[in-house]
Amino acid sequence: MNMVEHVPILEAKNLEVKRGGTILLNIPSLSIGKGEILALIGPNGAGKTTFLQTLSYLLQPFQGEIFFRGKKVETHISVLEYRRKLAMVFQDPLLFDTTVFNNVASGLKIRGMKKKEMEARVIEQLDRFGMSHLSHRSAKTLSGGEAQRASLARAFAIQPEILLLDEPFASLDPPTRESLIEDLEPILYRTRTTAIFATHDRLEALSFSDRIAVMNNGMIQQIGSPEEVMNHPIDEFVASFVGVETILTGKVIKKNAGTFFASIEGQEIEAAGDAHLGETVFLCIRPENVTLSTQFHREATSARNVFTGRILKIAPLGPYQKVQLGCGFPLVAYVTNHSLEELSLTEGKEVRASFKATAIHVVRKGESWKGF
Amino acid sequence: MDLILEGIKKAFWLLITLDPEVMEITFLSLQISGTATLISLLIGVSTGTLIALSMFPGKKIVASLVNTGMGLPPVVVGLFVTIFLWRNGPLGFLGILYTPTAMILAQAVIATPIVMGITLAAIQHLPQKLRLQILALGATRFQMVWILVKEAKLPLLAGVMAGFGGVISEVGASIMVGGNIKGYSRVLTTATVMETSRGNFDIAIALGIILLVLAFSINFIITQIQQRERPR
């Protein structure tokens, strides 16, 4: 994160998009530093696409002002000039009916680049995205993952100053998505491209971004570091959106054989897996894996993590009860109605919560790549 | 039966020996219909693209008018072109009635809505976001339109073929505004009508075969185009 310079490359002020009386987007102010990666998360219809399209002047008309490196778009630089600093990748690859090579070259051709220079750039990108062997194939014959790769290569070929990604992995199957993300991450960091990417996948947002903006109803509900947003959701909506499962952020402080300890809000959680010392990790704990108990003398248990906490809220959720706990960090547990009665759980009561080290899904941030 | 067999035999003879009259009629047909198609291509593709890409009230009505125009009865076109070009008509001063130029005009009027309608559908059929993607790649408006037309080139080609197929096999308007003058404005269809009415089945069949071959080739190409897949 030390690579993020705090000179805003992009600033938006009082953005508002209205269609037929409904406000689709309302962003009083947002600024993005050079090299920063901002994730926009939110449910479908939250305004993520509208926001990206407004930022790229693809959705007009709108109210408000956009500044690129302090220069006001339309006044100090033209829309075309500004748009040529950006690249956008959509959910669908939207390739042209020609070869992969020509597709990757298309942005450069539009800019009237000389053939030799263009060829070198295209070859570089094809190589970077592992597509050199597909160069002369027709775009029609590509698989979904290959097509999206070509689309990303096309965007990177123009060496954009800002990259806008609108759920670029949403229509790919999980293995394809993972391999594409694995390739994209180091490229983003290495090229230090400023990026804004929309997703409804929280884990995708975590592994990628410097900041997360949670959107709903065309507005940014909360914006901050992944730690802030995940550990301290500002309101009910953000909490419910980011908190289907508990996601905690911490630094790795100790390592054991096969497990490591992460420090979260002053407490230690042991998780199975591997991570470097000092690395920031995200620990995802599913509510069904959290066991509650009212026995406070320490009985033998295989659960490596036992915490004492207070019940903040109990809400019915289908056949279960959703119990929100505060144990120095937020934790959510599901219990059956039967257990709720047997343990006579009520809001404000103190309980012990436990979960196994193996029940934690560990998401590692792209930290290791930043060294490039 | 004899009549048909004899006719077919003689027709093939006329074709194999490249009978000058048959050849002349064929070339004139290709020339007139080709020119008319070219005109319809220029007007149809540009206007069709414009309608497809712009948003205005009544767009649906315009689109249905264009689609109705795709089925314009040639005789009605012939009637109105004749009236316009008639000595006392609004365009009578041009003095082009009963000339190949008048035939080109009438055929262009028939083919233009066909090309326009297919262009409209082809451009609208492209993914909505493709336009945004092209602009996001830094294209000017003009570059965007040009890339879209190129993306729709296959259906557009089919549109051109359909337009050409429509006018080369059309007879009503051609006879009305061209007059079927020997060696001047006589084309495949008008000649077929005349030779048949005279009982010259051999030459009529020969002309018919040429028309069929042309129609078949056009439809074959259109089918090939339509069977192709679109990229993702």
Coordinates of all heavy atoms in Angstrom, one line a residue, chain B residues 66-132:
Chain B
V66 N -40.0 1.3 -42.3 CA -38.9 0.7 -43.1 C -39.2 -0.8 -43.4 O -39.0 -1.3 -44.5 CB -37.5 0.8 -42.4 CG1 -36.4 0.1 -43.1 CG2 -37.1 2.3 -42.3
N67 N -39.6 -1.5 -42.4 CA -39.9 -2.9 -42.6 C -41.0 -3.1 -43.5 O -41.0 -4.1 -44.3 CB -40.2 -3.6 -41.2 CG -39.0 -3.7 -40.4 OD1 -37.9 -3.8 -40.9 ND2 -39.1 -3.8 -39.1
T68 N -42.0 -2.2 -43.5 CA -43.1 -2.3 -44.5 C -42.5 -2.1 -45.9 O -42.9 -2.8 -46.8 CB -44.2 -1.3 -44.2 OG1 -44.5 -1.3 -42.8 CG2 -45.4 -1.4 -45.1
G69 N -41.6 -1.2 -46.0 CA -41.0 -0.8 -47.3 C -40.3 -2.0 -47.9 O -40.1 -2.1 -49.1
M70 N -39.8 -3.0 -47.0 CA -39.1 -4.1 -47.5 C -40.0 -5.0 -48.4 O -39.5 -5.7 -49.2 CB -38.6 -5.0 -46.3 CG -37.5 -4.3 -45.5 SD -37.0 -5.2 -44.1 CE -36.0 -6.5 -44.8
G71 N -41.3 -4.9 -48.2 CA -42.2 -5.7 -49.0 C -43.0 -4.8 -50.0 O -44.1 -5.2 -50.4
L72 N -42.4 -3.7 -50.4 CA -43.1 -2.8 -51.3 C -43.4 -3.5 -52.6 O -42.5 -4.1 -53.3 CB -42.1 -1.6 -51.6 CG -42.7 -0.2 -51.7 CD1 -43.5 0.1 -50.4 CD2 -41.5 0.8 -51.8
P73 N -44.7 -3.5 -53.1 CA -45.0 -4.2 -54.3 C -44.4 -3.5 -55.5 O -44.6 -2.3 -55.7 CB -46.5 -4.1 -54.4 CG -47.0 -3.7 -53.1 CD -45.9 -3.0 -52.5
P74 N -43.5 -4.2 -56.3 CA -42.8 -3.5 -57.4 C -43.8 -2.8 -58.4 O -43.4 -1.7 -58.9 CB -42.1 -4.6 -58.1 CG -41.9 -5.7 -57.1 CD -43.1 -5.6 -56.2
V75 N -45.0 -3.3 -58.6 CA -45.9 -2.6 -59.6 C -46.3 -1.2 -59.1 O -46.4 -0.3 -59.8 CB -47.1 -3.4 -59.9 CG1 -46.9 -4.4 -61.0 CG2 -47.7 -4.1 -58.7
V76 N -46.4 -1.2 -57.7 CA -46.8 0.1 -57.1 C -45.6 1.1 -57.3 O -45.8 2.3 -57.6 CB -47.2 0.0 -55.6 CG1 -47.5 1.3 -55.0 CG2 -48.4 -1.0 -55.5
V77 N -44.4 0.6 -57.0 CA -43.3 1.5 -57.3 C -43.2 1.9 -58.7 O -43.0 3.1 -59.0 CB -42.0 0.7 -56.9 CG1 -40.7 1.5 -57.2 CG2 -41.9 0.3 -55.4
G78 N -43.4 0.9 -59.6 CA -43.4 1.2 -61.0 C -44.4 2.3 -61.4 O -44.1 3.3 -62.1
L79 N -45.6 2.2 -60.8 CA -46.7 3.1 -61.1 C -46.2 4.5 -60.7 O -46.3 5.5 -61.4 CB -47.9 2.7 -60.3 CG -49.1 3.7 -60.2 CD1 -49.7 4.0 -61.6 CD2 -50.1 3.3 -59.2
F80 N -45.7 4.7 -59.4 CA -45.4 6.0 -58.9 C -44.2 6.6 -59.6 O -44.1 7.8 -59.9 CB -45.2 6.0 -57.4 CG -46.6 6.1 -56.7 CD1 -47.2 4.9 -56.3 CD2 -47.3 7.3 -56.6 CE1 -48.4 4.9 -55.7 CE2 -48.5 7.3 -56.0 CZ -49.1 6.1 -55.6
V81 N -43.2 5.7 -59.9 CA -42.0 6.2 -60.6 C -42.4 6.7 -62.0 O -42.0 7.8 -62.5 CB -40.9 5.2 -60.7 CG1 -39.8 5.7 -61.7 CG2 -40.3 4.9 -59.4
T82 N -43.3 6.0 -62.7 CA -43.9 6.4 -64.0 C -44.5 7.7 -63.9 O -44.3 8.6 -64.7 CB -44.9 5.3 -64.5 OG1 -44.2 4.0 -64.5 CG2 -45.3 5.6 -66.0
I83 N -45.4 7.9 -62.9 CA -46.1 9.1 -62.7 C -45.2 10.3 -62.5 O -45.3 11.4 -63.1 CB -47.1 9.1 -61.5 CG1 -48.2 8.1 -61.8 CG2 -47.7 10.4 -61.2 CD1 -49.2 7.8 -60.7
F84 N -44.1 10.1 -61.7 CA -43.2 11.1 -61.4 C -42.4 11.5 -62.7 O -42.0 12.7 -62.9 CB -42.2 10.7 -60.3 CG -42.7 11.1 -59.0 CD1 -43.7 10.4 -58.3 CD2 -42.1 12.2 -58.3 CE1 -44.2 10.8 -57.1 CE2 -42.5 12.6 -57.1 CZ -43.6 11.9 -56.4
L85 N -42.1 10.5 -63.5 CA -41.2 10.7 -64.7 C -42.0 11.1 -65.9 O -41.5 11.4 -67.0 CB -40.3 9.5 -65.0 CG -39.3 9.1 -63.9 CD1 -38.5 7.9 -64.3 CD2 -38.4 10.3 -63.5
W86 N -43.3 11.0 -65.8 CA -44.2 11.3 -66.9 C -44.0 12.7 -67.4 O -43.6 13.5 -66.6 CB -45.7 11.1 -66.5 CG -46.7 10.9 -67.6 CD1 -47.6 11.8 -68.1 CD2 -46.9 9.7 -68.3 NE1 -48.3 11.3 -69.1 CE2 -47.9 10.0 -69.3 CE3 -46.3 8.4 -68.3 CZ2 -48.4 9.1 -70.2 CZ3 -46.8 7.5 -69.2 CH2 -47.8 7.8 -70.1
R87 N -44.2 12.9 -68.7 CA -43.9 14.2 -69.3 C -44.3 15.4 -68.4 O -43.6 16.3 -68.2 CB -44.5 14.3 -70.7 CG -43.6 14.8 -71.7 CD -44.3 14.8 -73.1 NE -44.5 13.5 -73.6 CZ -45.8 13.0 -73.9 NH1 -46.8 13.8 -73.9 NH2 -45.9 11.8 -74.4
N88 N -45.6 15.3 -67.9 CA -46.1 16.4 -67.1 C -45.8 16.2 -65.6 O -46.2 17.0 -64.8 CB -47.6 16.6 -67.3 CG -48.0 16.7 -68.8 OD1 -47.2 17.2 -69.6 ND2 -49.1 16.1 -69.1
G89 N -45.2 15.1 -65.3 CA -44.9 14.8 -63.9 C -43.9 15.7 -63.3 O -43.2 16.5 -64.0
P90 N -43.7 15.6 -61.9 CA -42.8 16.5 -61.2 C -41.3 16.3 -61.7 O -40.6 17.3 -61.7 CB -42.9 16.0 -59.8 CG -44.0 15.1 -59.7 CD -44.4 14.7 -61.0
L91 N -41.0 15.1 -62.2 CA -39.6 15.0 -62.7 C -39.6 14.7 -64.2 O -38.6 14.2 -64.7 CB -39.0 13.7 -61.9 CG -38.9 13.9 -60.4 CD1 -38.3 12.6 -59.8 CD2 -37.9 15.0 -60.0
G92 N -40.7 15.1 -64.8 CA -40.8 14.9 -66.3 C -39.7 15.6 -67.1 O -39.3 15.1 -68.1
F93 N -39.2 16.7 -66.5 CA -38.2 17.5 -67.3 C -36.9 16.7 -67.5 O -36.1 17.0 -68.4 CB -37.9 18.8 -66.5 CG -37.3 18.6 -65.2 CD1 -35.9 18.6 -65.1 CD2 -38.1 18.4 -64.1 CE1 -35.3 18.4 -63.8 CE2 -37.5 18.2 -62.8 CZ -36.1 18.2 -62.7
L94 N -36.7 15.6 -66.7 CA -35.5 14.8 -66.8 C -35.5 14.0 -68.1 O -34.5 13.7 -68.7 CB -35.4 13.9 -65.6 CG -35.1 14.5 -64.3 CD1 -35.2 13.5 -63.2 CD2 -33.7 15.2 -64.2
G95 N -36.7 13.7 -68.5 CA -36.9 13.0 -69.8 C -36.2 11.6 -69.8 O -35.6 11.2 -70.7
I96 N -36.4 10.9 -68.6 CA -35.7 9.6 -68.5 C -36.7 8.4 -68.5 O -36.3 7.3 -68.3 CB -34.8 9.5 -67.3 CG1 -35.6 9.8 -66.0 CG2 -33.6 10.4 -67.4 CD1 -34.8 9.5 -64.7
L97 N -38.0 8.7 -68.7 CA -38.9 7.6 -68.7 C -38.6 6.7 -69.9 O -38.2 7.2 -71.0 CB -40.4 8.1 -68.8 CG -41.5 7.1 -68.5 CD1 -41.3 6.4 -67.2 CD2 -42.8 7.7 -68.7
Y98 N -38.7 5.4 -69.7 CA -38.4 4.3 -70.7 C -36.9 4.3 -71.1 O -36.5 4.2 -72.2 CB -39.2 4.5 -72.0 CG -40.7 4.5 -71.7 CD1 -41.5 5.6 -72.1 CD2 -41.3 3.5 -71.0 CE1 -42.9 5.6 -71.8 CE2 -42.6 3.5 -70.7 CZ -43.4 4.5 -71.1 OH -44.7 4.5 -70.8
T99 N -36.1 4.6 -70.0 CA -34.6 4.4 -70.2 C -34.1 3.5 -69.1 O -34.8 3.3 -68.1 CB -33.9 5.8 -70.1 OG1 -34.1 6.2 -68.7 CG2 -34.4 6.8 -71.0
P100 N -32.9 3.0 -69.3 CA -32.3 2.2 -68.2 C -32.2 3.0 -66.9 O -32.3 2.4 -65.8 CB -30.9 1.8 -68.7 CG -31.1 1.8 -70.2 CD -32.1 2.9 -70.5
T101 N -31.9 4.3 -67.0 CA -31.8 5.1 -65.8 C -33.1 5.1 -65.0 O -33.0 5.0 -63.8 CB -31.6 6.6 -66.3 OG1 -30.5 6.6 -67.2 CG2 -31.1 7.5 -65.1
A102 N -34.2 5.1 -65.7 CA -35.5 5.0 -65.0 C -35.6 3.7 -64.3 O -36.1 3.6 -63.2 CB -36.7 5.2 -65.9
M103 N -35.1 2.6 -64.9 CA -35.2 1.3 -64.3 C -34.3 1.2 -63.1 O -34.7 0.7 -62.1 CB -34.8 0.2 -65.3 CG -35.7 0.1 -66.5 SD -35.0 -0.9 -67.8 CE -35.2 -2.5 -67.2
I104 N -33.1 1.9 -63.2 CA -32.2 1.9 -62.0 C -32.9 2.6 -60.9 O -32.9 2.1 -59.7 CB -30.9 2.6 -62.4 CG1 -30.1 1.7 -63.3 CG2 -30.1 2.9 -61.1 CD1 -28.9 2.4 -63.9
L105 N -33.6 3.7 -61.2 CA -34.3 4.5 -60.2 C -35.4 3.7 -59.5 O -35.4 3.6 -58.3 CB -34.9 5.8 -60.8 CG -35.7 6.7 -59.9 CD1 -34.7 7.4 -58.9 CD2 -36.4 7.8 -60.7
A106 N -36.2 3.0 -60.3 CA -37.3 2.2 -59.8 C -36.7 1.1 -58.9 O -37.2 0.8 -57.8 CB -38.2 1.7 -60.9
Q107 N -35.7 0.4 -59.4 CA -35.1 -0.7 -58.7 C -34.5 -0.3 -57.4 O -34.5 -1.0 -56.4 CB -34.2 -1.5 -59.6 CG -34.9 -2.2 -60.8 CD -34.0 -3.2 -61.4 OE1 -32.8 -3.4 -61.1 NE2 -34.5 -3.9 -62.4
A108 N -33.8 0.9 -57.4 CA -33.2 1.4 -56.2 C -34.3 1.7 -55.2 O -34.1 1.5 -54.0 CB -32.4 2.7 -56.5
V109 N -35.5 2.2 -55.6 CA -36.6 2.5 -54.7 C -37.0 1.2 -54.1 O -37.4 1.1 -52.9 CB -37.7 3.2 -55.4 CG1 -38.9 3.3 -54.5 CG2 -37.3 4.6 -55.9
I110 N -37.0 0.1 -54.8 CA -37.4 -1.2 -54.3 C -36.4 -1.8 -53.3 O -36.7 -2.3 -52.3 CB -37.7 -2.2 -55.4 CG1 -38.9 -1.7 -56.3 CG2 -38.0 -3.6 -54.9 CD1 -39.0 -2.5 -57.6
A111 N -35.1 -1.7 -53.7 CA -34.0 -2.3 -52.9 C -33.7 -1.6 -51.7 O -33.3 -2.2 -50.7 CB -32.8 -2.5 -53.8
T112 N -33.8 -0.2 -51.7 CA -33.3 0.6 -50.6 C -33.9 0.2 -49.2 O -33.2 -0.1 -48.2 CB -33.4 2.1 -50.8 OG1 -32.7 2.4 -52.0 CG2 -32.9 2.9 -49.7
P113 N -35.3 0.1 -49.2 CA -35.9 -0.3 -47.9 C -35.4 -1.7 -47.4 O -35.3 -2.0 -46.2 CB -37.4 -0.4 -48.1 CG -37.6 0.4 -49.4 CD -36.3 0.3 -50.2
I114 N -35.1 -2.6 -48.4 CA -34.7 -4.0 -48.0 C -33.3 -3.9 -47.3 O -33.1 -4.4 -46.2 CB -34.6 -4.9 -49.3 CG1 -36.0 -5.0 -49.9 CG2 -34.0 -6.2 -48.9 CD1 -36.0 -5.8 -51.2
V115 N -32.4 -3.1 -48.0 CA -31.1 -3.0 -47.4 C -31.2 -2.2 -46.1 O -30.5 -2.6 -45.1 CB -30.1 -2.2 -48.4 CG1 -28.8 -2.0 -47.7 CG2 -30.0 -3.0 -49.7
M116 N -32.0 -1.2 -46.0 CA -32.1 -0.4 -44.8 C -32.7 -1.2 -43.7 O -32.2 -1.1 -42.6 CB -33.1 0.8 -45.1 CG -32.9 2.0 -44.2 SD -34.2 3.3 -44.5 CE -33.6 3.9 -46.1
G117 N -33.7 -2.0 -44.0 CA -34.3 -2.8 -42.9 C -33.4 -3.8 -42.3 O -33.3 -4.0 -41.1
I118 N -32.6 -4.4 -43.2 CA -31.7 -5.5 -42.7 C -30.5 -4.8 -42.0 O -30.1 -5.3 -41.0 CB -31.2 -6.4 -43.9 CG1 -32.4 -7.2 -44.4 CG2 -30.1 -7.3 -43.5 CD1 -32.1 -8.0 -45.6
T119 N -30.1 -3.6 -42.4 CA -29.0 -2.9 -41.7 C -29.5 -2.5 -40.3 O -28.8 -2.8 -39.3 CB -28.7 -1.6 -42.5 OG1 -28.3 -1.9 -43.8 CG2 -27.5 -0.9 -41.8
L120 N -30.7 -2.0 -40.3 CA -31.3 -1.6 -39.0 C -31.3 -2.8 -38.0 O -30.9 -2.7 -36.9 CB -32.8 -1.1 -39.3 CG -33.6 -0.5 -38.1 CD1 -32.9 0.7 -37.5 CD2 -35.0 -0.1 -38.7
A121 N -31.8 -3.9 -38.5 CA -31.9 -5.1 -37.7 C -30.5 -5.6 -37.3 O -30.2 -5.9 -36.1 CB -32.6 -6.2 -38.4
A122 N -29.6 -5.6 -38.2 CA -28.2 -6.1 -38.0 C -27.5 -5.2 -36.9 O -26.9 -5.8 -36.0 CB -27.4 -6.1 -39.3
I123 N -27.6 -3.9 -37.1 CA -26.9 -3.0 -36.1 C -27.5 -3.2 -34.7 O -26.9 -3.2 -33.7 CB -26.9 -1.6 -36.6 CG1 -26.2 -1.4 -37.9 CG2 -26.3 -0.6 -35.5 CD1 -24.7 -1.4 -37.9
Q124 N -28.9 -3.2 -34.7 CA -29.6 -3.4 -33.4 C -29.3 -4.7 -32.8 O -29.4 -4.9 -31.6 CB -31.1 -3.2 -33.6 CG -31.4 -1.7 -33.7 CD -32.9 -1.5 -33.8 OE1 -33.6 -2.3 -34.3 NE2 -33.3 -0.3 -33.3
H125 N -29.0 -5.7 -33.6 CA -28.7 -7.0 -33.1 C -27.4 -7.2 -32.4 O -27.1 -8.1 -31.6 CB -28.9 -8.0 -34.2 CG -28.9 -9.4 -33.8 ND1 -30.0 -9.9 -33.1 CD2 -28.1 -10.5 -33.8 CE1 -29.8 -11.2 -32.8 NE2 -28.6 -11.5 -33.2
L126 N -26.5 -6.3 -32.7 CA -25.1 -6.3 -32.1 C -25.3 -6.1 -30.6 O -26.2 -5.3 -30.2 CB -24.2 -5.2 -32.6 CG -23.8 -5.4 -34.1 CD1 -23.1 -4.1 -34.6 CD2 -22.9 -6.6 -34.3
P127 N -24.5 -6.7 -29.7 CA -24.7 -6.5 -28.3 C -24.6 -5.0 -28.0 O -23.8 -4.2 -28.5 CB -23.4 -7.1 -27.7 CG -22.9 -8.0 -28.7 CD -23.3 -7.5 -30.1
Q128 N -25.6 -4.5 -27.1 CA -25.7 -3.1 -26.7 C -24.4 -2.6 -26.2 O -24.0 -1.5 -26.5 CB -26.8 -3.0 -25.6 CG -28.1 -2.6 -26.1 CD -28.2 -1.2 -26.6 OE1 -27.7 -0.3 -26.0 NE2 -28.8 -1.0 -27.7
K129 N -23.7 -3.4 -25.4 CA -22.5 -2.9 -24.8 C -21.3 -2.8 -25.7 O -20.3 -2.2 -25.4 CB -22.1 -3.8 -23.6 CG -23.1 -3.6 -22.4 CD -22.4 -4.0 -21.1 CE -23.2 -3.4 -20.0 NZ -23.0 -4.1 -18.7
L130 N -21.4 -3.4 -26.9 CA -20.3 -3.3 -27.9 C -20.0 -1.9 -28.2 O -18.9 -1.4 -28.3 CB -20.7 -4.1 -29.2 CG -19.6 -4.3 -30.1 CD1 -18.5 -5.2 -29.5 CD2 -20.1 -5.1 -31.4
R131 N -21.1 -1.1 -28.3 CA -20.9 0.4 -28.6 C -20.1 1.0 -27.5 O -19.2 1.8 -27.8 CB -22.3 1.0 -28.6 CG -22.8 1.5 -29.9 CD -24.1 2.3 -29.8 NE -25.2 1.4 -29.9 CZ -26.4 1.8 -29.7 NH1 -26.7 3.0 -29.4 NH2 -27.4 0.9 -29.9
L132 N -20.5 0.7 -26.3 CA -19.8 1.3 -25.1 C -18.3 0.8 -25.1 O -17.4 1.6 -24.9 CB -20.4 0.9 -23.8 CG -21.9 1.3 -23.7 CD1 -22.4 0.9 -22.3 CD2 -22.0 2.8 -23.8

